Amino acid sequence: MRPFLLGSLSMACAVASLFFLRYWKIAQDRFFVYFAIAFAVMGLNWIGLVLSDPTDERHYYLYVLRLVAFALIIAGIIDKNRRVGRR
């Protein structure tokens, strides 16, 4: 059941990433690119967790991908707020 649920999460992240890419194509706003890349990285995190052994305590390095994804989301929000304030 665990691989199925993690696979579903990775698929959901891929779909969200594609939606954000579509919104970026329409709006030409970098904010959507940050979110698309963040969700793609989050999907890679879920795929990595599926392929790793759940009893192995050394797969902490996979959570670095999640940290990168959240950092991208924060960077996108900061970038969007700075650009809006300059106009």
Side-chain angles (χ1 to χ4, degrees):
M1 187 67 154
R2 180 181 177 271
F4 174 75
L5 292 176
L6 291 175
S8 298
L9 284 171
S10 63
M11 187 232 16
C13 286
V15 169
S17 179
L18 290 174
F19 273 117
F20 281 118
L21 280 178
R22 186 178 76 177
Y23 294 142
W24 169 73
K25 191 174 182 180
I26 293 170
Q28 295 296 318
D29 193 358
R30 286 188 306 215
F31 177 74
F32 295 120
V33 174
Y34 279 109
F35 272 65
I37 294 171
F39 275 99
V41 170
M42 189 72 76
L44 290 175
N45 175 51
W46 295 123
I47 290 171
L49 287 173
V50 167
L51 298 176
S52 68
D53 182 21
T55 60
D56 185 17
E57 294 181 3
R58 294 175 294 170
H59 69 275
Y60 62 88
Y61 55 88
L62 290 172
Y63 291 100
V64 172
L65 289 174
R66 195 176 297 181
L67 178 66
V68 169
F70 287 128
L72 282 168
I73 290 172
I74 291 169
I77 292 170
I78 290 171
D79 182 56
K80 177 72 172 180
N81 287 332
R82 285 185 182 215
R83 283 187 289 130
V84 169
R86 290 182 185 164
R87 289 184 186 176

